Amino acid sequence: MKIIFISAALLVFSTTFRARAEAPLVFASELGPPATVIGSAELRTYGSTFYEVEEALAAREGITFHSAGDVGSEDWILVRGLPRDSSRNVLVLIDGVPLNNAAYEGVEIQDLPSSHLDRVEVWRPPLPARYGGYHAVLAFWTKPLRQQDGVVAWTGAAVGSLATSRTSSGFASRSGPLTIDGSLSTLDTGGLTGRFRTPPFDNIRYGDRSYWDWAPALRVGWQPSARTSFTFTATGSNNRKAFSDDEYRNRWFGLGGFLFAHRFSNQVLLRGAAHMGEERYFLRLRMHPDVSLQQRRRFGGRFEIVVTPTAQSTTVFGVEAGRRVLDVHGHSFALTNAAAFAETRIAPLAALEATAGVRGEQFAPQHVGAARAGRAVLGWSVGLVGHLGPTVDLFTRYGRSNRWPALGEYSERRALNAESLTGGEIGARWSYGDVKVSATFFSLLLGGAIGSDASGTNVNAIEPIRSRGIEARVDARVSAFASLYATWTGSRVTTAAGQATPYGPPPQMASGGAILHDDAWLARVSFRYLGRKEGILRHMGDEGRVADALLVDAYAEHRVTSGVTAWAQIGNLLNLTYETFQGRPMMPRTVLVGVTLDHVL
C-alpha cells in the first residue's frame, strides 16, 4: 500500500546519504523470454529517497493493483488479469528470496526495503520453466554491494499530514573481500482515520486506521576470489495496523537468504540460494473471527548449473525444494514442494533464437503429522524470436505452468486447490532511430484443477478463467533532453460462462508520460487511466461497479551542487476520489518534497 502523505500544500523534507551502484550480476536472466525490466534510472523518477514501487509497476502494461487505500494491508497484484481472490498467483522475490507470506501467499509491498532497490523484473505468463508454483513473477533486486574500500552512510526523514513520519538510515562499507551494508526504516501514520468511505458505504466513517512499522535490513558479502562470491541477506518488520477503533493486526516477520556463485570456467557457472523466514500474525477482525493468532514459516533452496558452450547457446539445469508451515488454533498444516527443470536457448541462425524448457514438480500437504499423497505435474515452455533485419523482431511463446495451493486454502478446505495455466503470446517489436514500439497478443486459460481427495474425486474443482488481451507500448526519445512513453492494455477476463470474474482487472488501462533531463535536472509527468469495471469488487459483497479514473503524477529533482539534490513529487495531482475495491477510497492528492545528500565518509 502507498505511504500516506496527504495534503495539497504539504512540504516534506528528507536528507539522504547513499551509494551509487551498478546492476546485480547473480541470477541474471541469461535465457529468453526476456522479462520487462524496470531499472534504477526509471525507479529514480518515482522518488529520490523512497521509491513509489506500486506506481512504477502500475505504469507498465498488463499489471493491476487492488488496494484498500492505505498502508498496512495486503496488496493484490494481477498480471495479465488473472485473479482468484488475491495476489496468490504472483511470486514476489527480493534477491531471489520469496517475500510471499507462508499462509496465503499475499504480499505487502511496504515490506520491500525500498531505499535498497535497484531494479525489478516482471515475468508475465506463460512463465519459463525456471519458475513454478505461481503464474507470474516480480523479481526485485537490491543495489550491488560496494565495490571500493570505505564507508558510505545515509539518513533520511519525512513528515506528513495525518501525523505521518518516516525515517531511513543506513550504511554501506567494504574492506578487502568483505562488504556489509544495513539500514533501519520506520513509519508512523494515522492513515485514513476519520475519512468517509466510498459508495455504497459512504455513510461510514473510518475509525482508527493508524499504522506503525520498524523495518531493519542487512547484507553481508564476501568475495574470496574473482570467481566466487557469497552473500547473506536479512530483512524484517515489526508493525501494527489498526482497521477501526477496536480492530487491528499485529505482525512480526523476519526473512533471511544466502546466495552463492562460483564460476568453474568461462563456460560453467554454479549458483544457488537458500532462504528461511518466520512470521507471527495476530488479527482481531470481525470479518475473520477464525484467524486470530497464526505462526507462518517457510524455508527452501535452489541450485543451478549454467552451461554456455558457445556464444550461440546456453543451458540451465536446476533443482529447488521448499516447505511452508502454518500453525493456527493448535493445528499445524504444511506443504512441501520439490522440482527439477532444464532450459536451453540456442541461436542456430543469426536471425533466429529458440528457447525450450521443461519442469517436473511435486507438492504434498500435511495436516497434524498425517501426510497425504502428493501430486506430480509437468510444466513446459517453448519460444521463438525472429530478427527481421535490424529494426523488427517477431516473437512467440507457449507453455504451461502450475500454481500450488496456499496453505490457507488447504487449512480451510482440507483439500488441495492447485491449478494449471496454459497459453501463449505472439508479438512484435519495432525500432526506428529513437522510437521503439511493441505489441503483444496473449491468450491464457487458468483452471485445470490438480487437487483431489483421498478417493481421487476432485472436491475443489475451480471454474476456469480465460484471459485474452493486447498489450502495447511506445517509447520515443524526442530530443537529447526529453523522452515520451505510452502504454495501452485491453483485455477480456471471464469465467467459462462468459461472466466477469470476481476481483478482475478493468478491461481498458492506459498510461503515459514525459521524462525531461539534463546534467542538473530530472522531471517526470505521467498519467494512468483505470477503466470502469464490474463484478464482485468488494470483500464478501454482491456484484457492483467501480468507476474509471485518470490519475496524474509528477516528480522533479534538481542537482543544486555536487552531492546536493532538491526534489519534489506529487501523486493524484487532480485530487480524484477513486477506488480499486468498491467502498474503499484510495489516496487523495499527495505531496512530498525533500533534499538528498550524497556523501562518502
Side-chain angles (χ1 to χ4, degrees):
M1 299 302 167
K2 288 184 170 50
I3 307 305
I4 313 298
F5 294 104
I6 303 176
S7 172
L10 170 66
L11 296 183
V12 181
F13 297 92
S14 72
T15 303
T16 301
F17 301 88
R18 56 190 175 83
R20 300 186 183 278
E22 303 300 326
L25 300 177
V26 179
F27 284 99
S29 305
E30 296 94 347
L31 299 176
T36 296
V37 178
I38 303 174
S40 57
E42 184 173 348
L43 285 175
R44 178 75 180 247
T45 69
Y46 287 89
S48 178
T49 305
F50 308 115
Y51 296 136
E52 291 289 344
V53 176
E54 291 171 321
E55 289 184 10
L57 287 168
R60 290 291 177 158
E61 57 274 24
I63 301 178
T64 307
F65 275 94
H66 287 168
S67 170
D70 56 1
V71 69
S73 300
E74 180 183 311
D75 288 296
W76 293 20
I77 307 168
L78 309 182
V79 180
R80 287 188 167 169
L82 293 172
R84 278 306 179 197
D85 61 348
S86 73
S87 59
R88 301 170 192 174
N89 287 322
V90 181
L91 172 63
V92 179
L93 300 169
I94 178 71
D95 287 339
V97 175
L99 192 66
N100 305 66
N101 73 61
Y104 293 94
E105 300 295 333
V107 173
E108 298 184 20
I109 290 297
Q110 74 271 7
D111 289 341
L112 289 164
S114 59
S115 61
H116 291 274
L117 295 183
D118 181 74
R119 65 169 180 166
V120 55
E121 298 176 354
V122 181
W123 295 88
R124 295 176 172 85
L127 289 176
R130 79 197 71 159
Y131 293 119
Y134 303 82
H135 295 322
V137 177
L138 300 179
F140 290 89
W141 297 97
T142 57
K143 299 169 184 176
L145 294 166
R146 184 172 170 80
Q147 298 300 307
Q148 297 177 339
D149 283 2
V151 179
V152 175
W154 71 86
T155 182
V159 295
S161 59
L162 302 180
T164 299
S165 63
R166 185 173 185 178
T167 67
S168 180
S169 301
F171 69 93
S173 66
R174 183 181 182 99
S175 177
L178 181 65
T179 56
I180 303 175
D181 64 34
S183 67
L184 175 65
S185 300
T186 69
L187 170 65
D188 192 353
T189 178
L192 295 178
T193 300
R195 292 185 173 265
F196 281 102
R197 293 178 60 178
T198 47
F201 305 112
D202 48 330
N203 62 328
I204 299 176
R205 186 192 297 265
Y206 277 131
D208 182 5
R209 298 283 294 186
S210 63
Y211 177 85
W212 61 260
D213 178 31
W214 290 71
L218 175 69
R219 291 190 304 167
V220 178
W222 182 47
Q223 189 172 359
S225 71
R227 292 181 176 270
T228 306
S229 65
F230 301 90
T231 305
F232 169 78
T233 66
T235 185
S237 174
N238 183 26
N239 58 66
R240 177 184 176 91
K241 167 68 177 178
F243 296 102
S244 68
D245 293 334
D246 60 351
E247 297 181 304
Y248 61 91
R249 181 209 65 191
N250 291 335
R251 177 172 173 262
W252 172 93
F253 90 94
L255 179 64
F258 177 75
L259 295 83
F260 75 90
H262 177 72
R263 183 171 291 281
F264 293 96
S265 66
N266 292 334
Q267 289 77 38
V268 181
L269 170 68
L270 172 67
R271 61 191 181 191
H275 67 271
M276 180 174 64
E278 181 168 351
E279 179 181 10
R280 297 181 182 180
Y281 187 99
F282 179 82
L283 183 67
R284 180 177 178 180
L285 193 64
R286 285 186 292 270
M287 182 182 294
H288 298 291
D290 57 330
V291 175
S292 63
L293 179 63
Q294 292 185 348
Q295 288 184 270
R296 309 164 173 177
R297 299 184 299 277
R298 69 183 305 156
F299 49 89
R302 178 185 180 97
F303 301 92
E304 297 180 355
I305 297 177
V306 183
V307 182
T308 309
T310 68
Q312 289 75 39
S313 65
T314 301
T315 301
V316 177
F317 302 94
V319 294
E320 66 175 81
R323 182 175 175 86
R324 287 162 278 176
V325 180
L326 171 63
D327 296 325
V328 57
H329 298 309
H331 296 277
S332 182
F333 302 89
L335 185 67
T336 302
N337 66 278
F341 63 91
E343 282 190 273
T344 188
R345 172 186 174 273
I346 59 173
L349 303 173
L352 181 66
E353 296 180 21
T355 60
V358 62
R359 180 184 182 90
E361 48 194 340
Q362 183 178 36
F363 69 100
Q366 189 177 34
H367 175 219
V368 196
R372 295 184 56 184
R375 293 297 301 266
V377 293
L378 190 68
W380 52 271
S381 63
V382 294
L384 288 173
V385 178
H387 306 290
L388 306 184
T391 63
V392 179
D393 289 343
L394 301 180
F395 59 89
T396 184
R397 292 192 292 137
Y398 197 83
R400 167 182 167 139
S401 61
N402 302 289
R403 182 187 75 94
W404 301 134
L407 267 178
E409 296 173 295
Y410 173 55
S411 66
E412 293 166 2
R413 299 177 176 86
R414 304 294 195 275
L416 301 184
N417 193 15
E419 56 189 333
S420 66
L421 178 146
T422 304
E425 67 175 14
I426 185 170
R429 293 185 293 262
W430 173 78
S431 62
Y432 182 78
D434 292 326
V435 178
K436 298 179 180 179
V437 180
S438 66
T440 306
F441 169 78
F442 62 88
S443 179
L444 307 167
L445 179 63
L446 173 66
I450 299 170
S452 62
D453 64 9
S455 67
T457 303
N458 190 350
V459 297
N460 61 324
I462 306 170
E463 185 175 18
I465 291 178
R466 181 171 292 280
S467 177
R468 294 183 175 133
I470 297 175
E471 301 165 343
R473 182 178 180 93
V474 178
D475 293 276
R477 187 179 180 90
V478 296
S479 73
F481 310 106
S483 300
L484 305 176
Y485 75 91
T487 75
W488 175 78
T489 303
S491 61
R492 178 173 171 79
V493 185
T494 62
T495 66
Q499 303 298 314
T501 59
Y503 314 112
Q508 302 282 341
M509 297 188 299
S511 66
I515 299 175
L516 309 175
H517 61 90
D518 62 16
D519 293 337
W521 285 91
L522 172 65
R524 170 186 56 85
V525 177
S526 59
F527 76 88
R528 287 179 291 134
Y529 171 72
L530 307 178
R532 185 185 70 177
K533 56 182 179 178
E534 300 179 350
I536 298 177
L537 301 170
R538 65 177 187 265
H539 293 291
M540 301 181 182
D542 300 325
E543 289 195 4
R545 174 180 298 177
V546 167
D548 59 358
L550 180 65
L551 306 177
V552 180
D553 307 308
Y555 173 80
E557 68 174 46
H558 174 57
R559 181 166 289 276
V560 181
T561 185
S562 177
V564 180
T565 302
W567 55 269
Q569 64 186 59
I570 304 176
N572 193 3
L573 180 64
L574 304 180
N575 201 28
L576 297 180
T577 298
Y578 75 105
E579 57 192 353
T580 56
F581 282 132
Q582 192 176 33
R584 300 284 185 176
M586 291 291 291
M587 301 290 290
R589 183 184 293 119
T590 66
V591 178
L592 182 66
V593 179
V595 176
T596 299
L597 303 180
D598 291 355
H599 184 67
V600 178
L601 299 179

